[in-house]
């Protein structure tokens, strides 16, 4: 079955768009900061135009569902809902920490993901690859870096900017369990597309109006007495 999938990812500082066409991926990415809402639609239209892919020929739309920056997650979800609703196609939300694990090189099969969640916390999850699919070892959650869950014994790959922002704390926390650290890794639409493909191929996904971000926490800022 030939699939055409558009994927977007705006959970952090980067805004990325990818087009999956039967396993071939075209992509673009920009350092956006807080400008995702002003960039994403234009990036989508530019990619589809450059690839000569009419919106109506998409079989599904995927997005980085979270966790991540609240505004970025809402931007991605809202844009995807509008696009999918207009063409009557399903939507797939992919966890940003899972997309982060997928970004690691072939051969890396046990990953502890940590993304800076601000407010002196990290978004954390651990995954292990079984064949071509990932198994959740530790569900996504938000923790103080020094209290992040320890994965089972053995060698793991650390990835995500949490390892750069809280380098000393996380390295101490996971001492003896990390075979390597990729602190420059960030979620990308490319991995969102890859992970959504088998879901859509199996007839999965949800209606556009059912798509929603995954926030994990409801609090977006510290009170003055907490700073």
């Amino acid at each position: 079955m030939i699939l055409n999938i558009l994927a977007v990812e705006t959970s952090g500082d980067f805004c990325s768009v990818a087009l999956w066409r039967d396993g071939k991926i075209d992509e673009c990415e920009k350092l956006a900061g807080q400008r995702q809402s002003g960039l994403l639609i234009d990036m989508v239209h530019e990619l589809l135009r450059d690839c000569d892919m009419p919106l109506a020929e998409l079989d599904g739309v995927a997005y980085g569902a979270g966790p991540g920056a609240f505004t970025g997650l809402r931007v991605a979800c809202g844009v995807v809902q509008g696009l999918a609703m207009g063409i009557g196609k399903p939507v797939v939300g992919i966890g940003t920490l899972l997309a982060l694990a997928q970004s690691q090189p072939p051969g890396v099969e046990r990953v502890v993901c940590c993304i800076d969640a601000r407010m002196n916390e990290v978004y954390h999850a651990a995954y292990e690859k079984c064949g071509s699919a990932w198994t959740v070892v530790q569900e996504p959650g938000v923790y103080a870096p020094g209290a992040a869950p320890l994965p089972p014994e053995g060698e793991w790959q650390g990835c995500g900017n949490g390892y750069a922002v809280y380098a000393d704390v996380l390295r101490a926390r996971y001492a003896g369990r990390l075979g390597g650290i990729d602190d420059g890794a960030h979620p990308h639409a490319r991995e969102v597309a890859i992970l959504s493909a088998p879901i859509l191929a199996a007839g999965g996904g949800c209606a556009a109006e059912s798509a929603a971000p995954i926030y994990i926490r409801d609090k977006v800022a510290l009170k003055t007495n907490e700073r």
Side-chain angles (χ1 to χ4, degrees), residues 67 97 113 115 117 122-125 138-143 149 216:
L97 293 165
C113 303
I115 297 176
V122 293
Y123 293 121
H124 163 282
Q138 292 169 331
E139 295 281 354
V142 60
Y143 305 91
I216 292 186

Side-chain angles (χ1 to χ4, degrees), residues 37 47 50 64 86-87 101 105 111 154 180-183 197 207:
S37 60
L47 182 62
D50 293 345
I87 58 176
V111 183
I181 295 175
D182 181 1
D183 59 14

Side-chain angles (χ1 to χ4, degrees), residues 141-193:
V142 60
Y143 305 91
L150 292 172
E153 291 186 1
E155 186 174 289
W156 294 76
Q157 170 84 349
C159 69
N161 67 351
Y163 290 95
V165 178
Y166 305 104
D168 293 340
V169 177
L170 286 175
R171 281 169 171 76
R173 178 67 174 163
Y174 294 129
R177 301 201 185 193
L178 296 181
I181 295 175
D182 181 1
D183 59 14
H186 59 271
H188 193 287
R190 174 183 56 248
E191 281 72 47
V192 173

Side-chain angles (χ1 to χ4, degrees), residues 86-131:
I87 58 176
K89 296 298 170 63
V91 170
V92 177
I94 298 295
T96 50
L97 293 165
L98 179 59
L100 191 59
Q102 179 67 32
S103 74
Q104 294 305 287
V108 174
E109 297 185 342
R110 306 177 86 199
V111 183
V112 180
C113 303
C114 286
I115 297 176
D116 180 22
R118 310 299 171 93
M119 298 168 59
N120 297 312
E121 292 179 323
V122 293
Y123 293 121
H124 163 282
Y127 302 95
E128 184 169 8
K129 188 168 253 186
C130 298

